[in-house]
């Protein structure tokens, strides 16, 4: 079946540095790529998304890049802060009968003071 | 901010037991989803619905039934619970574009099957 792979299970950075989380996907028809954040012991909430008609989207300190040829997308966080520490999940839309979101396995980002 | 609530928040049952997880959203969203979260697997879609009376099968439906009784309420049923169904369950909802729109997640239900 179609997959979304998140290659880093953990990532540690120093406060103020940048963090990059990478994902790949297999379905060439995927057109929607959201990112969700899960803080310790909490639920998930949406942080940013990108659609396949663009290759870059920025929202404050977050930027998502999409490389459709390589079937790869990434989340870039600049000027990291301790409150950025969380698990980040990437996801991609796939067509399996009807449309579904497939999530990656998550990356635990730790921002060290 | 979209509001999605789940009950119970924690549940313990025995193998073969009958469990119902409840989800309610109060934002008139059409789409509702049930996921399970397990370490190393991220979130996996169990069932989803795009309206009252509608049900769609997700990636890991075996052992689960679901029912959408109203636009607000979506239930997940485990009729013969097994230890492999021990997990953290999330309900989510999204507006008109369905999966191609922001999903709003509930707080989760932690289920332990002994």
């Amino acid at each position: 079946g179609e997959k979304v792979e998140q290659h880093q299970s953990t990532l540690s950075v120093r406060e103020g540095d940048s963090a990059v989380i990478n994902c790949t996907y297999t379905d060439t028809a995927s057109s929607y790529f959201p990112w969700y954040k899960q803080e310790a012991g909490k639920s998930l909430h949406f942080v940013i998304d990108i659609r396949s008609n663009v290759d870059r989207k920025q929202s404050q300190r977050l930027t998502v890049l999409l490389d459709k040829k390589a079937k790869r997308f990434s989340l870039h966080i600049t000027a990291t802060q301790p409150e950025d520490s969380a698990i980040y999940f990437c996801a991609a839309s796939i067509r399996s009968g009807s449309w579904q979101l497939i999530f990656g396995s998550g990356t635990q980002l730790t921002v060290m003071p | 901010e979209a509001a999605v609530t789940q009950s119970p928040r924690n549940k313990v049952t025995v193998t073969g037991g009958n469990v119902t997880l409840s989800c309610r959203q109060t934002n008139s969203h059409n789409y509702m989803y049930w996921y399970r979260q397990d370490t190393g697997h991220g979130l996996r879609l169990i069932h989803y619905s795009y309206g009252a009376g509608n049900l769609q099968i997700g990636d890991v439906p075996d052992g689960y039934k679901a029912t959408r009784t109203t636009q607000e309420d979506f239930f997940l049923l485990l009729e013969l619970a097994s230890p492999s169904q021990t997990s953290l369950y999330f309900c989510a909802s999204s507006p008109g574009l369905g999966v191609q729109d922001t999903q709003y997640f509930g707080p989760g239900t932690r289920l332990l099957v002994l």
Side-chain angles (χ1 to χ4, degrees):
Chain A
E2 304 293 355
K3 293 180 188 176
V4 173
E5 296 200 78
Q6 216 166 330
H7 302 286
Q8 310 131 291
S9 57
T10 60
L11 176 64
S12 293
V13 299
R14 290 277 177 205
E15 183 176 355
D17 288 349
S18 294
V20 181
I21 302 172
N22 298 296
C23 288
T24 56
Y25 61 98
T26 58
D27 187 0
T28 53
S30 293
S31 59
Y32 177 64
F33 307 89
W35 288 84
Y36 286 84
K37 177 182 180 182
Q38 185 179 32
E39 295 170 36
K42 297 191 177 179
S43 187
L44 287 81
H45 68 265
F46 171 85
V47 288
I48 192 170
D49 61 10
I50 191 167
R51 298 182 192 274
S52 58
N53 59 337
V54 297
D55 55 17
R56 179 190 177 97
K57 182 175 180 180
Q58 183 173 355
S59 174
Q60 298 181 316
R61 295 186 295 111
L62 305 179
T63 301
V64 182
L65 302 180
L66 174 62
D67 180 343
K68 292 186 290 290
K69 190 174 283 187
K71 287 189 276 188
R72 181 172 59 216
F73 60 115
S74 55
L75 174 67
H76 298 244
I77 307 173
T78 59
T80 53
Q81 301 165 2
E83 52 265 39
D84 294 328
S85 294
I87 302 175
Y88 289 83
F89 292 95
C90 63
S93 61
I94 66 150
R95 186 100 192 187
S96 177
S98 53
W99 285 99
Q100 296 181 17
L101 268 187
I102 296 291
F103 284 79
S105 54
T107 298
Q108 171 70 62
L109 174 65
T110 302
V111 179
M112 298 174 292
Chain B
E1 182 75 19
V4 181
T5 56
Q6 294 181 236
S7 62
R9 296 293 311 278
N10 293 281
K11 177 73 178 178
V12 180
T13 190
V14 295
T15 299
N18 199 323
V19 176
T20 298
L21 307 184
S22 302
C23 177
R24 167 165 281 202
Q25 56 95 4
T26 57
N27 291 278
S28 302
H29 287 170
N30 292 329
Y31 287 79
M32 294 185 75
Y33 313 84
W34 278 107
Y35 294 94
R36 59 178 290 172
Q37 182 180 19
D38 305 287
T39 305
H41 288 281
L43 272 76
R44 292 181 289 175
L45 181 65
I46 304 170
H47 290 296
Y48 65 106
S49 166
Y50 53 76
N54 175 265
L55 183 63
Q56 303 292 318
I57 293 172
D59 284 337
V60 290
D62 292 346
Y64 302 95
K65 292 184 180 178
T67 180
R68 179 92 177 266
T69 54
T70 64
Q71 188 172 30
E72 294 78 21
D73 297 303
F74 195 29
F75 300 93
L76 186 67
L77 295 80
L78 293 72
E79 293 182 331
L80 286 170
S82 75
S84 64
Q85 293 175 309
T86 292
S87 188
L88 179 57
Y89 291 87
F90 285 105
C91 175
S93 71
S94 66
L97 292 177
V99 296
Q100 313 237 27
D101 210 330
T102 301
Q103 294 192 17
Y104 297 86
F105 285 82
T109 294
R110 195 167 292 277
L111 175 66
L112 174 62
V113 183
L114 300 172

